Amino acid sequence: MPSSSSHRSRAVASPWANPPEREQQREIKRQAVLAAAAQLFNERGFHATSLDDIARRLHVSKPTLYYYVKNKDEILLGCVRQGLDMMLVGIEDSRRAGGQAVDQLLTCMRVYAHIVTMDFGMCLIRVGDEQLPPESRRELRRLKSLIDHEFRRLVAAGVEEGSIAPCDPKMTAFVIAGALSWIGRWYQPEGEYTPEQVAEQCIATLCAGVLQRPAPK
Amino acid sequence: MPSSSSHRSRAVASPWANPPEREQQREIKRQAVLAAAAQLFNERGFHATSLDDIARRLHVSKPTLYYYVKNKDEILLGCVRQGLDMMLVGIEDSRRAGGQAVDQLLTCMRVYAHIVTMDFGMCLIRVGDEQLPPESRRELRRLKSLIDHEFRRLVAAGVEEGSIAPCDPKMTAFVIAGALSWIGRWYQPEGEYTPEQVAEQCIATLCAGVLQRPAPK
């Protein structure tokens, strides 16, 4: 028979999660809500998707959703911010890896192209921030402009180092961002190309140009 | 004093427009409604724009608008279709002008780039057809796919004639459409570039590629 002191030290195993575990589980479930919502927004559009649709896809009730998110605006903000955060992390990684500006630019292009084929990245391209209330919209535009400025900086540095053709870096950054963002509009996950094929072919076309180069004499 | 027969032949000049004139005036006014709406959709987004906003910009009452359009969906459809029709007319003109595929492709790229800097074309890019009811959406996607297929056809013909680098025409058409469509997202009519500068620089970058070409030996 245990002494009273050892009895005190052995806590009853609680069938409820402890607070840090609870927070973690809540976050996992919140992520599932965002992921299901991103898929639905991409399939049918933001306005045509209801909280009921999202709840149905997750086999839960609408009131359950309210434990994780406040409303549809908050969900969209969460989805789009996640897409942007993934891009910013990839860009930061490529910056830390260092090397020639042109190589960093190519890495950033691959990161960007890959993310727009994924649910959150696709949502960033398909839904657009006009749907969001002004404050969230401003925050997203700030994050987007960080990405844009990183592309411009790398293009300018590439021109400097002689690896990129002389150009207006702002315009070239827009051509790159446009061609790669468009992937998020047309890409079909079940279609004929893998995300890697799309990224490699689009980037190769952007790098080498559409026109046939004259054969070297 | 006129004879009774000449009196009969001289009709009283009506202060009301005759039916063909009335139809023409109605069409002019309907166009003004669409143009004002396109500007507002581009500035604040489709959902944030009300019929009241559109009426206010035209200094008329909301009931007056209903004489020209049924609802906001019809207005958006009208705007987007107008952008698409302008593109299709430009593409058809370039096809009729004939010549090398690469020259026809360049003309189509200029037409496309120019139209997305204009109100209706910008609306086509910024608003997106997810906002429209299924039937209108299908019709718009059909028109968009005509443009897409014309780009692919010209790219394939250019590869055939040796003016365009060997490629997957579908992917190259998407790179072109993406870079040029993006103009409709970032272009500011009051900004630092004219539409011609934007078109020429973006097209030059697409044609020659981003990378520096090695100097000829």
Side-chain angles (χ1 to χ4, degrees), chain A residues 38-39 42 79 83 86-87 110-126 183-184 187 189 195-196:
Chain A
Q39 284 180 352
N42 293 337
C79 292
M86 288 160 75
M87 284 183 185
R110 277 189 209 105
V111 165
Y112 196 106
H114 187 55
I115 290 170
V116 296
T117 62
M118 296 160 75
D119 292 332
F120 292 126
M122 204 176 260
C123 194
L124 180 66
I125 304 300
R126 293 197 180 184
I183 296 171
Y187 184 70
E196 289 71 27

mmCIF file of all heavy atoms in Angstrom, chain A residues 38-39 42 79 83 86-87 110-126 183-184 187 189 195-196:
data_model
loop_
_atom_site.group_PDB
_atom_site.id
_atom_site.type_symbol
_atom_site.label_atom_id
_atom_site.label_comp_id
_atom_site.label_asym_id
_atom_site.label_seq_id
_atom_site.Cartn_x
_atom_site.Cartn_y
_atom_site.Cartn_z
ATOM 1 N N ALA A 38 -9.239 27.112 -47.950
ATOM 2 C CA ALA A 38 -8.438 27.503 -49.116
ATOM 3 C C ALA A 38 -8.849 26.682 -50.330
ATOM 4 O O ALA A 38 -9.054 27.217 -51.423
ATOM 5 C CB ALA A 38 -6.949 27.334 -48.830
ATOM 6 N N GLN A 39 -9.016 25.370 -50.131
ATOM 7 C CA GLN A 39 -9.443 24.513 -51.248
ATOM 8 C C GLN A 39 -10.792 24.967 -51.801
ATOM 9 O O GLN A 39 -10.976 25.072 -53.012
ATOM 10 C CB GLN A 39 -9.560 23.064 -50.789
ATOM 11 C CG GLN A 39 -8.205 22.391 -50.645
ATOM 12 C CD GLN A 39 -8.350 20.946 -50.178
ATOM 13 O OE1 GLN A 39 -9.450 20.516 -49.826
ATOM 14 N NE2 GLN A 39 -7.246 20.225 -50.171
ATOM 15 N N ASN A 42 -10.588 28.256 -53.682
ATOM 16 C CA ASN A 42 -9.964 28.069 -54.993
ATOM 17 C C ASN A 42 -10.920 27.409 -55.980
ATOM 18 O O ASN A 42 -10.917 27.723 -57.161
ATOM 19 C CB ASN A 42 -8.698 27.217 -54.873
ATOM 20 C CG ASN A 42 -7.609 27.942 -54.100
ATOM 21 O OD1 ASN A 42 -7.600 29.168 -54.026
ATOM 22 N ND2 ASN A 42 -6.694 27.194 -53.518
ATOM 23 N N CYS A 79 -5.461 32.276 -44.656
ATOM 24 C CA CYS A 79 -5.017 31.509 -45.833
ATOM 25 C C CYS A 79 -3.979 32.290 -46.621
ATOM 26 O O CYS A 79 -2.922 31.774 -46.992
ATOM 27 C CB CYS A 79 -6.204 31.226 -46.765
ATOM 28 S SG CYS A 79 -7.412 30.098 -46.083
ATOM 29 N N GLY A 83 0.162 31.712 -47.334
ATOM 30 C CA GLY A 83 0.818 31.663 -48.642
ATOM 31 C C GLY A 83 1.981 32.639 -48.700
ATOM 32 O O GLY A 83 3.082 32.296 -49.140
ATOM 33 N N MET A 86 4.978 31.563 -46.455
ATOM 34 C CA MET A 86 5.774 30.505 -47.075
ATOM 35 C C MET A 86 6.747 31.113 -48.088
ATOM 36 O O MET A 86 7.906 30.711 -48.182
ATOM 37 C CB MET A 86 4.850 29.496 -47.764
ATOM 38 C CG MET A 86 4.058 28.613 -46.800
ATOM 39 S SD MET A 86 2.593 27.864 -47.599
ATOM 40 C CE MET A 86 3.366 26.597 -48.608
ATOM 41 N N MET A 87 6.258 32.084 -48.851
ATOM 42 C CA MET A 87 7.137 32.725 -49.839
ATOM 43 C C MET A 87 8.269 33.485 -49.149
ATOM 44 O O MET A 87 9.423 33.404 -49.568
ATOM 45 C CB MET A 87 6.339 33.700 -50.696
ATOM 46 C CG MET A 87 5.494 33.000 -51.730
ATOM 47 S SD MET A 87 4.638 34.205 -52.753
ATOM 48 C CE MET A 87 3.631 33.088 -53.733
ATOM 49 N N ARG A 110 11.741 29.615 -58.155
ATOM 50 C CA ARG A 110 11.270 28.234 -57.921
ATOM 51 C C ARG A 110 10.340 28.177 -56.716
ATOM 52 O O ARG A 110 9.301 27.519 -56.753
ATOM 53 C CB ARG A 110 12.466 27.298 -57.710
ATOM 54 C CG ARG A 110 13.038 26.842 -59.023
ATOM 55 C CD ARG A 110 14.093 25.751 -58.870
ATOM 56 N NE ARG A 110 15.011 25.896 -59.992
ATOM 57 C CZ ARG A 110 16.234 26.404 -59.906
ATOM 58 N NH1 ARG A 110 16.735 26.755 -58.736
ATOM 59 N NH2 ARG A 110 16.962 26.539 -60.989
ATOM 60 N N VAL A 111 10.729 28.866 -55.654
ATOM 61 C CA VAL A 111 9.896 28.913 -54.442
ATOM 62 C C VAL A 111 8.513 29.484 -54.787
ATOM 63 O O VAL A 111 7.476 28.901 -54.463
ATOM 64 C CB VAL A 111 10.576 29.800 -53.365
ATOM 65 C CG1 VAL A 111 9.597 30.178 -52.268
ATOM 66 C CG2 VAL A 111 11.797 29.100 -52.784
ATOM 67 N N TYR A 112 8.509 30.608 -55.477
ATOM 68 C CA TYR A 112 7.264 31.300 -55.826
ATOM 69 C C TYR A 112 6.376 30.390 -56.688
ATOM 70 O O TYR A 112 5.187 30.209 -56.398
ATOM 71 C CB TYR A 112 7.633 32.571 -56.589
ATOM 72 C CG TYR A 112 6.539 33.598 -56.716
ATOM 73 C CD1 TYR A 112 6.577 34.767 -55.956
ATOM 74 C CD2 TYR A 112 5.481 33.452 -57.606
ATOM 75 C CE1 TYR A 112 5.602 35.751 -56.081
ATOM 76 C CE2 TYR A 112 4.499 34.419 -57.730
ATOM 77 C CZ TYR A 112 4.563 35.560 -56.971
ATOM 78 O OH TYR A 112 3.592 36.535 -57.086
ATOM 79 N N ALA A 113 6.977 29.805 -57.744
ATOM 80 C CA ALA A 113 6.207 28.957 -58.664
ATOM 81 C C ALA A 113 5.629 27.756 -57.934
ATOM 82 O O ALA A 113 4.493 27.345 -58.189
ATOM 83 C CB ALA A 113 7.102 28.494 -59.820
ATOM 84 N N HIS A 114 6.411 27.201 -57.007
ATOM 85 C CA HIS A 114 5.938 26.014 -56.307
ATOM 86 C C HIS A 114 4.766 26.360 -55.377
ATOM 87 O O HIS A 114 3.754 25.656 -55.331
ATOM 88 C CB HIS A 114 7.091 25.401 -55.518
ATOM 89 C CG HIS A 114 6.734 24.085 -54.912
ATOM 90 N ND1 HIS A 114 6.255 23.036 -55.662
ATOM 91 C CD2 HIS A 114 6.748 23.655 -53.626
ATOM 92 C CE1 HIS A 114 5.999 22.010 -54.864
ATOM 93 N NE2 HIS A 114 6.284 22.369 -53.625
ATOM 94 N N ILE A 115 4.905 27.472 -54.670
ATOM 95 C CA ILE A 115 3.886 27.826 -53.676
ATOM 96 C C ILE A 115 2.537 28.163 -54.330
ATOM 97 O O ILE A 115 1.490 27.821 -53.786
ATOM 98 C CB ILE A 115 4.401 28.947 -52.745
ATOM 99 C CG1 ILE A 115 5.509 28.357 -51.858
ATOM 100 C CG2 ILE A 115 3.280 29.536 -51.892
ATOM 101 C CD1 ILE A 115 6.287 29.349 -51.054
ATOM 102 N N VAL A 116 2.556 28.776 -55.499
ATOM 103 C CA VAL A 116 1.261 29.090 -56.140
ATOM 104 C C VAL A 116 0.555 27.855 -56.699
ATOM 105 O O VAL A 116 -0.592 27.954 -57.138
ATOM 106 C CB VAL A 116 1.358 30.196 -57.235
ATOM 107 C CG1 VAL A 116 1.776 31.516 -56.627
ATOM 108 C CG2 VAL A 116 2.264 29.786 -58.382
ATOM 109 N N THR A 117 1.222 26.691 -56.688
ATOM 110 C CA THR A 117 0.503 25.451 -57.060
ATOM 111 C C THR A 117 -0.093 24.777 -55.821
ATOM 112 O O THR A 117 -0.752 23.755 -55.946
ATOM 113 C CB THR A 117 1.430 24.416 -57.754
ATOM 114 O OG1 THR A 117 2.458 24.025 -56.841
ATOM 115 C CG2 THR A 117 2.050 24.976 -59.028
ATOM 116 N N MET A 118 0.189 25.334 -54.633
ATOM 117 C CA MET A 118 -0.330 24.749 -53.388
ATOM 118 C C MET A 118 -1.553 25.547 -52.910
ATOM 119 O O MET A 118 -1.732 26.704 -53.296
ATOM 120 C CB MET A 118 0.771 24.744 -52.335
ATOM 121 C CG MET A 118 1.939 23.837 -52.735
ATOM 122 S SD MET A 118 3.464 24.249 -51.845
ATOM 123 C CE MET A 118 3.098 23.557 -50.239
ATOM 124 N N ASP A 119 -2.382 24.919 -52.056
ATOM 125 C CA ASP A 119 -3.670 25.532 -51.697
ATOM 126 C C ASP A 119 -3.569 26.987 -51.220
ATOM 127 O O ASP A 119 -4.279 27.852 -51.723
ATOM 128 C CB ASP A 119 -4.385 24.701 -50.639
ATOM 129 C CG ASP A 119 -4.844 23.357 -51.189
ATOM 130 O OD1 ASP A 119 -5.103 23.286 -52.407
ATOM 131 O OD2 ASP A 119 -4.941 22.388 -50.424
ATOM 132 N N PHE A 120 -2.683 27.257 -50.263
ATOM 133 C CA PHE A 120 -2.637 28.621 -49.715
ATOM 134 C C PHE A 120 -2.095 29.622 -50.743
ATOM 135 O O PHE A 120 -2.593 30.736 -50.855
ATOM 136 C CB PHE A 120 -1.810 28.675 -48.432
ATOM 137 C CG PHE A 120 -2.430 27.941 -47.271
ATOM 138 C CD1 PHE A 120 -1.726 26.970 -46.576
ATOM 139 C CD2 PHE A 120 -3.729 28.228 -46.875
ATOM 140 C CE1 PHE A 120 -2.306 26.287 -45.503
ATOM 141 C CE2 PHE A 120 -4.316 27.556 -45.804
ATOM 142 C CZ PHE A 120 -3.602 26.587 -45.126
ATOM 143 N N GLY A 121 -1.086 29.189 -51.485
ATOM 144 C CA GLY A 121 -0.500 30.075 -52.499
ATOM 145 C C GLY A 121 -1.495 30.358 -53.612
ATOM 146 O O GLY A 121 -1.607 31.480 -54.114
ATOM 147 N N MET A 122 -2.217 29.323 -54.018
ATOM 148 C CA MET A 122 -3.223 29.464 -55.065
ATOM 149 C C MET A 122 -4.314 30.448 -54.621
ATOM 150 O O MET A 122 -4.791 31.276 -55.402
ATOM 151 C CB MET A 122 -3.829 28.089 -55.337
ATOM 152 C CG MET A 122 -4.424 27.922 -56.698
ATOM 153 S SD MET A 122 -4.990 26.221 -56.938
ATOM 154 C CE MET A 122 -3.619 25.548 -57.897
ATOM 155 N N CYS A 123 -4.663 30.361 -53.364
ATOM 156 C CA CYS A 123 -5.670 31.235 -52.772
ATOM 157 C C CYS A 123 -5.214 32.700 -52.847
ATOM 158 O O CYS A 123 -5.988 33.600 -53.169
ATOM 159 C CB CYS A 123 -5.846 30.803 -51.325
ATOM 160 S SG CYS A 123 -7.284 31.453 -50.540
ATOM 161 N N LEU A 124 -3.942 32.900 -52.574
ATOM 162 C CA LEU A 124 -3.333 34.228 -52.649
ATOM 163 C C LEU A 124 -3.531 34.840 -54.035
ATOM 164 O O LEU A 124 -3.803 36.032 -54.183
ATOM 165 C CB LEU A 124 -1.836 34.041 -52.367
ATOM 166 C CG LEU A 124 -0.905 35.216 -52.355
ATOM 167 C CD1 LEU A 124 -1.254 36.136 -51.209
ATOM 168 C CD2 LEU A 124 0.556 34.749 -52.207
ATOM 169 N N ILE A 125 -3.404 34.001 -55.067
ATOM 170 C CA ILE A 125 -3.510 34.485 -56.444
ATOM 171 C C ILE A 125 -4.966 34.567 -56.879
ATOM 172 O O ILE A 125 -5.390 35.526 -57.513
ATOM 173 C CB ILE A 125 -2.750 33.530 -57.408
ATOM 174 C CG1 ILE A 125 -1.298 33.365 -56.977
ATOM 175 C CG2 ILE A 125 -2.866 34.013 -58.854
ATOM 176 C CD1 ILE A 125 -0.497 34.628 -56.931
ATOM 177 N N ARG A 126 -5.753 33.533 -56.544
ATOM 178 C CA ARG A 126 -7.116 33.457 -57.092
ATOM 179 C C ARG A 126 -8.087 34.406 -56.420
ATOM 180 O O ARG A 126 -8.974 34.942 -57.063
ATOM 181 C CB ARG A 126 -7.669 32.026 -56.992
ATOM 182 C CG ARG A 126 -6.915 31.086 -57.891
ATOM 183 C CD ARG A 126 -7.698 29.803 -58.122
ATOM 184 N NE ARG A 126 -6.902 28.937 -58.991
ATOM 185 C CZ ARG A 126 -7.294 27.767 -59.459
ATOM 186 N NH1 ARG A 126 -8.483 27.300 -59.143
ATOM 187 N NH2 ARG A 126 -6.530 27.063 -60.236
ATOM 188 N N ILE A 183 0.434 30.949 -62.936
ATOM 189 C CA ILE A 183 0.378 29.497 -62.697
ATOM 190 C C ILE A 183 -0.736 29.180 -61.701
ATOM 191 O O ILE A 183 -1.492 28.231 -61.886
ATOM 192 C CB ILE A 183 1.737 28.974 -62.157
ATOM 193 C CG1 ILE A 183 2.837 29.172 -63.200
ATOM 194 C CG2 ILE A 183 1.628 27.515 -61.744
ATOM 195 C CD1 ILE A 183 4.248 28.893 -62.676
ATOM 196 N N GLY A 184 -0.854 30.010 -60.663
ATOM 197 C CA GLY A 184 -1.883 29.795 -59.641
ATOM 198 C C GLY A 184 -3.293 29.887 -60.193
ATOM 199 O O GLY A 184 -4.249 29.413 -59.580
ATOM 200 N N TYR A 187 -3.167 26.388 -63.095
ATOM 201 C CA TYR A 187 -2.679 25.061 -62.728
ATOM 202 C C TYR A 187 -3.789 24.176 -62.147
ATOM 203 O O TYR A 187 -4.547 24.616 -61.290
ATOM 204 C CB TYR A 187 -1.530 25.176 -61.714
ATOM 205 C CG TYR A 187 -0.948 23.830 -61.392
ATOM 206 C CD1 TYR A 187 -0.210 23.139 -62.350
ATOM 207 C CD2 TYR A 187 -1.169 23.226 -60.161
ATOM 208 C CE1 TYR A 187 0.303 21.882 -62.077
ATOM 209 C CE2 TYR A 187 -0.652 21.965 -59.885
ATOM 210 C CZ TYR A 187 0.067 21.305 -60.851
ATOM 211 O OH TYR A 187 0.563 20.058 -60.582
ATOM 212 N N PRO A 189 -4.163 20.699 -60.141
ATOM 213 C CA PRO A 189 -3.373 19.672 -59.445
ATOM 214 C C PRO A 189 -3.498 18.278 -60.074
ATOM 215 O O PRO A 189 -2.562 17.502 -60.006
ATOM 216 C CB PRO A 189 -3.908 19.711 -58.018
ATOM 217 C CG PRO A 189 -4.421 21.102 -57.860
ATOM 218 C CD PRO A 189 -4.973 21.487 -59.204
ATOM 219 N N PRO A 195 4.004 20.039 -60.500
ATOM 220 C CA PRO A 195 4.421 21.396 -60.145
ATOM 221 C C PRO A 195 5.876 21.664 -60.570
ATOM 222 O O PRO A 195 6.204 22.775 -60.984
ATOM 223 C CB PRO A 195 4.295 21.431 -58.623
ATOM 224 C CG PRO A 195 3.288 20.387 -58.296
ATOM 225 C CD PRO A 195 3.445 19.319 -59.342
ATOM 226 N N GLU A 196 6.731 20.644 -60.500
ATOM 227 C CA GLU A 196 8.139 20.839 -60.862
ATOM 228 C C GLU A 196 8.280 21.110 -62.363
ATOM 229 O O GLU A 196 9.061 21.974 -62.777
ATOM 230 C CB GLU A 196 8.982 19.602 -60.500
ATOM 231 C CG GLU A 196 9.183 19.392 -59.006
ATOM 232 C CD GLU A 196 7.915 18.954 -58.285
ATOM 233 O OE1 GLU A 196 7.032 18.318 -58.928
ATOM 234 O OE2 GLU A 196 7.768 19.267 -57.083
#
